[in-house]
Amino acid sequence: QAKAHGKNGYVFYKNDMHQDASDEFSLENHLRKALEQNEFELFYQAQINSQTGEIIGVEALLRWNHPELGMILPNIFIPLAEKIGLIVPIGEWVIMEACRQNKMWQESGLPNMKVSVNLSTQQFLKQNLVDVVQHVLQSTQLNPQFLELEITESMAMDYKYARKVIDQLRGLGVAVSIDDFGTGYSSLKNLKCFAINRIKIDKCFVMNVLHNQNDEQIVSAIIAMAHGLGVNVVAEGVENEEQLHYLHSQECYNIQGYYFMKPLPAYEFTDQYPQLVEEFKKKKEIIHEKS
Ligand code: C2E
Ligand code: MG
Ligand code: MG
Ligand code: MG
């Protein structure tokens, strides 16, 4: 029991503190066993070319199916996994699982698409990252052109190291993108000097694009810069038609967001694939008619 002695000698319990500390502790302990107990699962969200309605890729998004608490989102457990040094093995599982799944989709006749995997800073800084990726590609037999790794701006702060790793990954034939663009610490020099395939505009800008002039300016500037540099650009967090119209007006046609679909477990994505394709085509037509 957590006890604390007050000034006047009374003993009282700091209930809240006690609760928080033990919650985190038990979550931590569970997390240590989650990999071996197969509690992780990847959800997939499509990226759509909104001009053609075609699926160009899927992003793999990690979920933790906690035996008592149910599904836990990455914003909760990834920082914890980073803190206790588990993100590297978890991250390796993610790369392997995403590539395995994509290969399965290809073999079951789905049109080819890229699978995007988020890397954490610790993974990116680990010297064997390139070997890990190479090993995964070899063992899953996924063609490297169907894998994309997402890094964030902050990972590129050690400029020389980042450049070396990105070049080596590109050397394997894998694509590299910058996620959450505009929210991290970065130098625009990086965009020019790194062999980046695309940038993803963070959803915090997209969300307010119609209601906040600053966000609108930021989004249009990012798109214009990407076009100017010949880098692909994707908008994240697109939830409605109005946002999509704005993005189209800036000639950004690669879209990821709830407007098209929420992330789904692999089996649901597979089951629903034909309907999803139909829905995306319909949405594309509606948008074309209105613009
Ligand atoms: P992210 O890489 O920027 O992924 C996009 C997030 O936005 C996902 O949240 C996705 O579900 C959510 N999202 C997509 N469309 C919309 C939309 O229209 N509206 C809103 N409000 N949200 C949308 P999720 O799955 O909770 O993941 C959160 C973050 O956790 C990810 O952000 C990524 O940074 C991290 N993450 C996810 N999976 C992994 C992983 O395997 N490894 C690592 N290191 N990080 C991961
Ligand atoms: Mg991402
Ligand atoms: Mg990310
Ligand atoms: Mg993002």
Side-chain angles (χ1 to χ4, degrees):
Q1 288 279 16
K3 286 180 189 173
H5 293 273
K7 271 185 194 155
N8 49 10
Y10 284 106
V11 173
F12 58 91
Y13 294 92
K14 290 189 167 180
N15 277 327
D16 287 345
M17 270 179 61
H18 175 66
Q19 199 63 42
D20 287 351
S22 75
D23 277 357
E24 190 180 304
F25 187 64
S26 73
L27 207 60
E28 232 180 81
N29 278 341
H30 273 103
L31 193 54
R32 288 181 203 282
K33 295 185 223 129
L35 250 190
E36 61 183 67
Q37 307 207 338
N38 267 316
E39 291 168 5
F40 290 114
E41 182 179 7
L42 293 181
F43 277 41
Y44 295 90
Q45 185 183 36
Q47 293 149 357
I48 286 109
N49 175 334
S50 51
Q51 268 183 317
T52 63
E54 281 167 330
I55 298 177
I56 50 177
V58 282
E59 179 170 11
L61 296 159
L62 187 57
R63 301 290 181 262
W64 178 17
N65 296 310
H66 189 285
E68 286 118 44
L69 300 173
M71 195 175 81
I72 306 183
L73 291 171
N75 289 337
I76 306 286
F77 68 85
I78 286 187
L80 196 58
E82 277 168 345
K83 195 184 90 181
I84 61 178
L86 278 181
I87 195 64
V88 170
I90 294 173
E92 287 178 7
W93 178 87
V94 173
I95 303 174
M96 183 66 91
E97 178 56 20
C99 290
R100 191 196 61 79
Q101 182 61 63
N102 201 16
K103 182 71 181 180
M104 285 235 309
W105 277 325
Q106 293 183 351
E107 287 184 336
S108 66
L110 254 60
N112 290 339
M113 55 192 182
K114 266 196 172 71
V115 68
S116 307
V117 171
N118 292 282
L119 293 183
S120 79
T121 305
Q122 285 172 34
Q123 268 178 297
F124 188 73
L125 296 180
K126 195 119 199 279
Q127 301 289 335
N128 71 349
L129 173 67
V130 177
D131 294 337
V132 168
V133 173
Q134 192 169 23
H135 166 73
V136 168
L137 292 168
Q138 234 158 40
S139 74
T140 60
Q141 291 294 300
L142 181 73
N143 185 320
Q145 77 184 96
F146 300 118
L147 174 63
E148 173 178 77
L149 297 173
E150 299 189 355
I151 63 172
T152 56
E153 293 158 285
S154 322
M155 296 183 200
M157 291 220 307
D158 181 348
Y159 172 78
K160 273 195 180 152
Y161 176 80
R163 186 172 168 159
K164 186 187 82 185
V165 176
I166 292 167
D167 284 348
Q168 287 174 347
L169 291 170
R170 294 297 312 277
L172 294 179
V174 167
V176 178
S177 66
I178 301 191
D179 202 1
D180 308 334
F181 190 81
T183 63
Y185 299 96
S186 79
S187 152
L188 293 180
K189 178 179 96 179
N190 292 347
L191 269 189
K192 193 187 75 173
C193 299
F194 290 168
I196 290 294
N197 297 82
R198 60 176 189 169
I199 56 185
K200 302 184 76 173
I201 307 172
D202 194 76
K203 60 175 177 291
C204 73
F205 303 122
V206 173
M207 202 167 283
N208 298 320
V209 83
L210 300 161
H211 308 291
N212 182 309
Q213 285 227 314
N214 292 335
D215 288 336
E216 181 190 327
Q217 288 303 319
I218 290 170
V219 169
S220 72
I222 293 175
I223 296 168
M225 184 183 64
H227 287 161
L229 293 170
V231 175
N232 220 304
V233 60
V234 189
E236 277 192 328
V238 178
E239 295 188 354
N240 57 51
E241 234 175 84
E242 292 72 28
Q243 292 165 341
L244 194 58
H245 278 298
Y246 178 77
L247 292 162
H248 277 193
S249 75
Q250 304 302 304
E251 294 172 43
C252 174
Y253 303 106
N254 295 329
I255 307 293
Q256 185 179 342
Y258 295 169
Y259 176 71
F260 284 107
M261 69 175 287
K262 289 197 168 171
L264 290 176
Y267 66 93
E268 285 187 36
F269 186 85
T270 313
D271 281 359
Q272 293 180 25
Y273 189 87
Q275 290 109 285
L276 288 171
V277 167
E278 281 304 302
E279 268 175 48
F280 298 164
K281 289 246 160 69
K282 259 184 223 143
K283 282 184 167 150
K284 174 211 83 180
E285 273 151 28
I286 292 169
I287 288 151
H288 276 226
E289 276 161 23
K290 290 195 184 167
S291 54

